[in-house]
Amino acid sequence: MNSDLTVRPRRLRRTPALRAMLRETLLTPADFMYPLFVVPGAGLRRPIASLAGQFHLSPDQAAEEAARVYELGVKSVLLFGLPAAKDAVGSSGAAPDGPVQTALRAIKKAVPEIAAATDVCLCEYTDHGHCGLIVDGQVDNDATLPHLARQALSHAEAGADIVAPSDMMDGRVGAIRAALDQKGFSHIPVMAYTVKYAGAFYGPFREAAGSAPGFGDRRAYQMDPARRREAFIELAQDAAEGADMVMVKPAGPYLDIIREIRDRCDLPLAAYQVSGEYAMITAAAAAGLLDEKAAALETLTSIKRAGADVIITYFAPRAAEWLRGRD
Ligand code: PBG
C-alpha cells in the first residue's frame, strides 16, 4: 500500500543500535558546571527550600562537594556567596575571608584539578539586592564597575580559575580584565554572562541566594526577552573587551539565541539552565507528572544540540550519574 514510499526515515530508528550509532549530540559529565551556594561557617549542609536537592554549604562542605562531583566527572563548579553582612555597595563581596574566597581556598586544596569559577555580581552583597550601585534611584553603570573589578580580583587572589560577571553592566568585562591584568592575573579567563535575559526563571535562585531586589526589578540592566538582535551587540561588546567565554542565560527558553551565538562566534559558549528551569522539572517529577531523569537529560541534550559547549546546571552530579548508567 505504501510501497511507493522511497524515503523512510523510520528505517534508521528501528533498533537501539541504529539509534545509538547515529546520535549526533552526546552529553558527557565534563560538559557540566555545577553551581554551589556557599555560606559562612563550618560543617553546614542545609537543604535549600526553593531548590530541591541543592544545599547551602559552608566552605569546608563546598570543598567536599567539589571533590565528590569531580569524582563523577564534573570538572567545574560555579560559586555563589551568601555573606554575613551587606551594605549599599556590596563590599563584603570582595572580602578576603568571605564565603566564596574561603571556599575557593578550601576547594583548591581539596581538589586542585577542578576548575573553580565564581559568579561576580553585587546583588548577593548589597542591602538593596540590585546588581550595581544605586544613584538617584537607578542602578549606576559606571560607578559599579570598580566594585565588580575589586570582587573579581579578590576571587582570583583566592584561587579562582575563571571569573564570571553576571551583573549586565556595560564595560564590566573590560574593567575586570584590566584589574586582573594589572595585578598579575592575566592568565585568569573571564566567562561573561553575555546574553542574560530579565525574566521569570530566576525566582528560586533569588530565594536561595537571598538576592531578590528590594525594590523594582532588573529590567533596566538585564535584557528584554522579546529582543534578539541585541544579543549580537552584547556579543560584540564582550568579545571586544576580551571575554574568553560567553554565555546565554536562561538556556531552555532561549535555544534560538544559543544557536545564533554559536553560529556567529568561535569563543567557547556556556548556557545556564537556571533555577526556574530546574524547578519546573523537579516539581513536575515530584508531582508524578514527569520522569525526572528522562526530562532532565532531554533538556540538557537540547541545550548542547543548540550549540552550548558548557552547560551550567543544578542537575550536574545527578546527570553525571545518569549518563554513567545509560545504555
Ligand atoms: C546574579 C545571578 C543570578 C543568577 C545567576 N547570577 C540572579 C539574577 O540575575 O537575579 C540566576 C541563576 C539561576 O536562576 O539559577 N546576578
Side-chain angles (χ1 to χ4, degrees), residues 283-297:
L289 300 173
L290 279 180
D291 175 336
E292 184 173 43
K293 169 182 163 181
L297 289 177

Side-chain angles (χ1 to χ4, degrees), residues 32-36 53-54 65 69 74 76-78 313-317:
F32 306 138
M33 180 179 275
Y34 186 44
L36 296 176
Q54 308 301 313
E65 187 69 355
V69 306
V74 176
S76 62
V77 290
L78 176 61
T313 174
Y314 303 98
F315 285 116

Side-chain angles (χ1 to χ4, degrees), residues 228 232 235 246 248 255-269 304-309:
R228 168 183 155 266
F232 314 131
L235 174 64
V246 295
V248 173
L255 294 179
D256 56 330
I257 305 294
I258 295 175
R259 167 49 54 192
E260 289 202 84
I261 295 282
R262 166 77 301 139
D263 288 346
R264 285 178 189 236
C265 162
D266 292 321
L267 290 170
L269 172 60
K304 188 163 182 190
R305 192 192 62 233
D309 301 298

Side-chain angles (χ1 to χ4, degrees), residues 37 51 80 119-124 131 166-167 193 196 201-206 211 213 218 222 249 272-276 314:
F37 295 91
L51 281 172
F80 294 92
D119 186 88
V120 174
C121 195
L122 299 190
C123 63
E124 291 131 52
C131 303
S166 66
D167 52 282
Y193 284 69
K196 178 171 175 179
F201 289 96
Y202 307 143
F205 170 95
R206 289 179 188 166
S211 67
R218 303 209 201 289
Q222 298 179 355
K249 173 185 171 194
Y272 198 145
Q273 182 179 54
V274 301
S275 57
Y314 303 98

Side-chain angles (χ1 to χ4, degrees), residues 15 21 29 66 75 91 106 173 205 220 222 228 237 273 298 302 307:
T15 72
M21 179 179 81
K75 308 247 181 252
S91 49
V173 172
F205 170 95
Q222 298 179 355
R228 168 183 155 266
Q237 181 184 34
Q273 182 179 54
E298 186 174 331
S302 295

Side-chain angles (χ1 to χ4, degrees), residues 93-228:
D97 59 350
V100 165
Q101 291 83 354
T102 309
L104 281 167
R105 289 188 293 268
I107 288 170
K108 295 309 290 187
K109 199 168 160 199
V111 48
E113 309 84 1
I114 206 166
T118 57
D119 186 88
V120 174
C121 195
L122 299 190
C123 63
E124 291 131 52
Y125 305 98
T126 51
D127 49 18
H128 46 74
H130 277 288
C131 303
L133 269 54
I134 305 295
V135 178
D136 297 332
Q138 308 285 329
V139 172
D140 188 294
N141 192 88
D142 296 12
T144 300
L145 299 180
H147 295 269
L148 294 167
R150 208 167 297 139
Q151 186 185 121
L153 184 59
S154 81
H155 292 168
E157 285 167 347
D161 295 296
I162 300 175
V163 293
S166 66
D167 52 282
M168 290 306 278
M169 299 302 119
D170 294 323
R172 89 276 210 211
V173 172
I176 289 170
R177 185 72 272 154
L180 293 176
D181 290 355
Q182 204 184 8
K183 298 284 183 179
F185 293 102
S186 59
H187 57 293
I188 298 300
V190 175
M191 174 172 74
Y193 284 69
T194 297
V195 180
K196 178 171 175 179
Y197 284 98
F201 289 96
Y202 307 143
F205 170 95
R206 289 179 188 166
E207 216 175 302
S211 67
F215 65 92
D217 55 43
R218 303 209 201 289
R219 285 183 291 183
Y221 45 102
Q222 298 179 355
M223 291 166 54
D224 189 307
R227 288 186 68 185
R228 168 183 155 266

